[in-house]
Amino acid sequence: MSKYITKIKRKVKAMPKYNIYRINKSSLGDLLKKFEDVKLIKVSSKQVDEFTMDFYLSEDPGKKIVWWGTIYKSFLTKEKINQLTNLSYYACLLIYNNDTCYAVSLGKTHFYLRDYCDLDFGIDLAERILRNDNISTKNSRLFGSKKTKTLNSYQDATEIEFESGEAIFFLRGKTIDESQWGKNISCGHSVQFSLDFAPNNLTSLIKRIESSLRSKSINTIPRSMLIKDKKKIKELDEKLVSAIINYDVQVTSSDTNLSGVDFVFSHTDIFTIIYRGLSKKVKGDLTISALNSFLSENKLSLNNEVINELKVYVESSTGSYSKPLKFYIDFVHDRCFLLDGVWHKFNQNYLVFLNDYVNKIKTDFSDLNNFSKKEFTDYKEKLQAEGTKYTYQENYFNLMQERNGYINLDREITLLERYRVEKLDLYKDETWYFVKIGKPKTLGYVIDQSLVSLKTLVELGGTINYEGQTLTPKMFCLWLILDRKTKIQLLSEINSLIFKMKLAEWNRKVKLAGLETYIKVGYLA
């Protein structure tokens, strides 16, 4: 009997992956023009069922220099460095009939498809065919937070969980029916399927997709929806222009940008701002200051027309491309915001999640929290008669709380253990109080200052000494004196989306620091 064992290696067949975009039928003509511009040429066409299937292939992908060649040039000859190039072909399979159009992206074609596709498609389908108890990856944007975009991967598949203020843009997980959809799908601007069949069978998949999109959703996902009303878009552009001029907006070159179901990382990108024949390379990060400097140098007045013609040329390790400037702008107004340069609004699920969350924060609506305008007027008149310096509302309110056993720490800047803590107002019973009087737009200020104080407290290990006393808070309290005629029963009744976003983020951060949260609500009476 032979002493040798022969091992037979079986060739494992790779599961085909189909990255599918739903194309806006009205944009098909523009997409085909874009294919011409980037030299995607139709090389074949066939009829399958009632669909036409056109295959487009890059005619001349061009040679791309291998980025690491210059880094290791001391080990290579100049001739070898020049030879270090790659050809990167790309293609697209268009599948369409009179009613609908889909595109299968191959290679870098996803960069071109995104501008012509239904951006809601991926999450629309996820709401209908993704299991809500088996999610492996989630990409979202947390509004009200400085951490604008997050990409979370889970070691073990988990149930979908959402934070308040969070809008979902990408989900990966198991499907409700493996025989119909494959085991796992990735849902973003597009949907990626892993299905063991030939491309000709994609027409059957598209029929199932269309049928599913007409069915009722089984998952409740807080997310955004595309704004299509041209009048509304014009109005939002005007708001954006005003915000840029007043530096009340953020330009972001996030480390991760979603492109279909691919995340494009941009650690070392080089940016050039372009407007018609004018251009300026940006030193370092893309910022509002850099933009306004470009406008000033070229004597340009920002308006709706200019904001929509400004572009950014990006040079990265994966290639070069240009995007509208609005693609890189973070801006929220009312229920609307910019996502990848396009105006969106929050869906009802997002608002429900946010309202439910803020309503769960422990809140005291007692009349004892009120501020008496008459008593304040009498106090000011008394000061004026004595020739004493005028005091503002919060200062007077905090002085009056000393009678109730509070330590008054209200200074413009409070110096505690060599740390400058802005707007720490009152202390009592292991609680730090932050007081603000006004409308929702101004109330957000006290949230920001509370978080500055929280950061200082954490750096000091949770304890601060003040005039011989140890202040070790177990709770942070926002004392909000509302300037409004009608009283509220719930925090969600405050009619400011941005304020509620900030409030939710405040609650999260304070609790993450191991402290309790509390809110007192009073009124100008």
Side-chain angles (χ1 to χ4, degrees):
M1 192 169 77
S2 173
K3 295 181 180 180
Y4 298 97
I5 299 174
T6 302
K7 293 184 179 179
I8 301 174
K9 292 185 178 180
R10 293 181 179 178
K11 188 174 181 180
V12 180
K13 182 182 177 182
M15 180 76 76
K17 291 185 177 181
Y18 297 104
N19 186 16
I20 300 177
Y21 288 77
R22 193 170 192 257
I23 303 300
N24 295 319
K25 199 74 192 309
S26 60
S27 301
L28 181 57
D30 292 333
L31 176 61
L32 295 178
K33 178 65 170 63
K34 183 66 176 181
F35 281 1
E36 289 181 23
D37 294 342
V38 298
K39 295 183 168 46
L40 269 173
I41 307 302
K42 185 164 75 172
V43 295
S44 67
S45 181
K46 62 171 71 173
Q47 293 293 131
V48 179
D49 299 332
E50 68 269 29
F51 289 90
T52 300
M53 304 180 81
D54 294 341
F55 194 83
Y56 290 79
L57 180 66
S58 52
E59 183 180 49
D60 180 15
K63 293 182 178 181
K64 180 169 176 53
I65 297 173
V66 177
W67 65 269
W68 46 261
T70 53
I71 295 175
Y72 293 93
K73 62 184 179 181
S74 62
F75 296 91
L76 301 165
T77 64
K78 188 174 182 180
E79 182 182 6
K80 286 291 184 185
I81 293 173
N82 293 333
Q83 290 174 358
L84 289 174
T85 56
N86 288 328
L87 288 175
S88 183
Y89 283 92
Y90 49 99
C92 180
L93 176 61
L94 278 184
I95 307 169
Y96 59 95
N97 59 20
N98 291 332
D99 301 316
T100 191
C101 179
Y102 285 81
V104 181
S105 174
L106 300 164
K108 72 171 187 177
T109 308
H110 59 84
F111 281 115
Y112 310 125
L113 294 174
R114 182 165 56 183
D115 294 335
Y116 308 93
C117 73
D118 175 0
L119 296 173
D120 295 326
F121 166 56
I123 303 301
D124 277 345
L125 198 60
E127 287 184 329
R128 291 161 174 81
I129 70 170
L130 204 60
R131 282 176 52 180
N132 63 10
D133 62 347
N134 211 296
I135 301 300
S136 58
T137 307
K138 176 181 77 172
N139 175 256
S140 63
R141 178 171 174 175
L142 197 58
F143 292 87
S145 169
K146 291 182 179 178
K147 183 177 64 176
T148 55
K149 295 182 182 178
T150 61
L151 175 61
N152 298 318
S153 295
Y154 305 101
Q155 187 171 358
D156 299 312
T158 185
E159 187 175 349
I160 303 179
E161 291 184 352
F162 307 114
E163 296 187 63
S164 65
E166 180 180 37
I168 302 299
F169 302 121
F170 174 88
L171 289 169
R172 175 172 172 77
K174 288 188 177 180
T175 66
I176 57 173
D177 188 342
E178 187 173 338
S179 65
Q180 294 287 311
W181 309 107
K183 187 175 182 179
N184 294 285
I185 57 170
S186 299
C187 302
H189 293 146
S190 62
V191 180
Q192 187 176 84
F193 299 88
S194 296
L195 291 164
D196 191 12
F197 59 56
N200 280 357
N201 292 321
L202 285 168
T203 56
S204 296
L205 175 63
I206 287 171
K207 290 177 186 177
R208 294 198 295 274
I209 290 172
E210 285 293 302
S211 176
S212 182
L213 291 174
R214 290 190 293 269
S215 68
K216 188 176 180 180
S217 62
I218 60 174
N219 296 313
T220 301
I221 300 176
R223 62 187 179 107
S224 64
M225 306 291 286
L226 186 69
I227 295 175
K228 299 177 181 178
D229 185 334
K230 292 182 179 179
K231 183 178 178 181
K232 183 65 176 178
I233 291 171
K234 180 175 180 291
E235 174 192 320
L236 290 167
D237 280 344
E238 290 170 354
K239 296 288 185 183
L240 175 63
V241 166
S242 175
I244 290 174
I245 292 171
N246 293 296
Y247 287 81
D248 189 22
V249 67
Q250 179 180 350
V251 176
T252 175
S253 50
S254 172
D255 280 350
T256 57
N257 286 313
L258 180 63
S259 180
V261 292
D262 291 326
F263 287 95
V264 183
F265 289 82
S266 54
H267 314 291
T268 57
D269 292 355
I270 300 171
F271 304 97
T272 301
I273 300 174
I274 299 171
Y275 177 73
R276 296 181 179 175
L278 306 171
S279 66
K280 179 181 180 179
K281 185 165 286 189
V282 176
K283 294 181 180 178
D285 293 334
L286 192 60
T287 64
I288 288 295
S289 293
L291 171 60
N292 281 330
S293 175
F294 170 80
L295 295 171
S296 176
E297 289 171 10
N298 292 286
K299 296 180 173 58
L300 291 172
S301 296
L302 196 60
N303 54 38
N304 280 23
E305 181 182 355
V306 173
I307 193 67
N308 284 295
E309 288 193 45
L310 281 162
K311 296 185 182 301
V312 176
Y313 180 70
V314 182
E315 300 169 77
S316 71
S317 58
T318 58
S320 301
Y321 54 91
S322 65
K323 289 285 180 189
L325 173 75
K326 285 164 67 175
F327 180 88
Y328 296 99
I329 291 179
D330 262 346
F331 182 63
V332 179
H333 174 72
D334 197 13
R335 284 182 58 178
C336 307
F337 66 99
L338 276 175
L339 172 63
D340 294 342
V342 181
W343 288 108
H344 288 69
K345 64 180 177 182
F346 298 107
N347 72 343
Q348 190 60 34
N349 293 336
Y350 175 92
L351 300 176
V352 169
F353 272 97
L354 180 62
N355 287 336
D356 286 348
Y357 184 87
V358 298
N359 286 338
K360 290 175 182 175
I361 301 172
K362 186 178 178 182
T363 307
D364 171 21
F365 292 99
S366 169
D367 286 341
L368 296 175
N369 302 327
N370 291 351
F371 176 98
S372 172
K373 290 189 285 187
K374 182 181 183 307
E375 289 180 7
F376 178 55
T377 300
D378 292 344
Y379 181 76
K380 282 195 300 180
E381 289 175 354
K382 179 184 175 184
L383 290 182
Q384 289 171 353
E386 295 173 350
T388 307
K389 187 179 177 183
Y390 169 79
T391 186
Y392 56 92
Q393 287 180 322
E394 283 92 348
N395 178 260
Y396 164 77
F397 182 81
N398 294 331
L399 284 171
M400 295 303 101
Q401 298 313 312
E402 290 181 4
R403 298 181 300 188
N404 298 319
Y406 290 84
I407 298 175
N408 181 12
L409 298 169
D410 180 17
R411 313 274 169 77
E412 284 302 307
I413 300 287
T414 300
L415 190 64
L416 301 175
E417 276 199 355
R418 294 174 287 106
Y419 281 78
R420 295 167 71 83
V421 180
E422 298 184 23
K423 286 304 284 184
L424 168 58
D425 293 294
L426 302 168
Y427 180 84
K428 182 183 180 183
D429 297 334
E430 299 180 312
T431 301
W432 280 15
Y433 291 87
F434 302 86
V435 178
K436 189 63 183 173
I437 301 170
K439 296 182 183 295
K441 186 174 181 180
T442 57
L443 293 178
Y445 170 80
V446 78
I447 295 176
D448 295 335
Q449 298 310 314
S450 172
L451 292 176
V452 170
S453 296
L454 177 67
K455 182 180 177 183
T456 302
L457 181 68
V458 171
E459 289 173 355
L460 289 173
T463 298
I464 285 179
N465 292 320
Y466 174 72
E467 294 184 356
Q469 297 186 62
T470 300
L471 308 183
T472 307
K474 292 183 179 179
M475 181 181 292
F476 265 40
C477 177
L478 300 179
W479 198 327
L480 308 176
I481 310 296
L482 304 181
D483 182 6
R484 57 180 290 154
K485 294 180 180 178
T486 57
K487 292 185 178 182
I488 62 172
Q489 303 298 318
L490 298 167
L491 288 174
S492 60
E493 294 174 26
I494 295 176
N495 189 26
S496 170
L497 180 61
I498 292 177
F499 174 74
K500 286 183 281 191
M501 289 175 180
K502 291 171 76 74
L503 196 59
E505 179 65 7
W506 171 81
N507 189 63
R508 267 192 299 272
K509 286 190 172 181
V510 173
K511 289 198 168 183
L512 281 172
L515 303 171
E516 292 301 310
T517 56
Y518 187 48
I519 295 176
K520 282 177 170 282
V521 174
Y523 302 89
L524 284 171

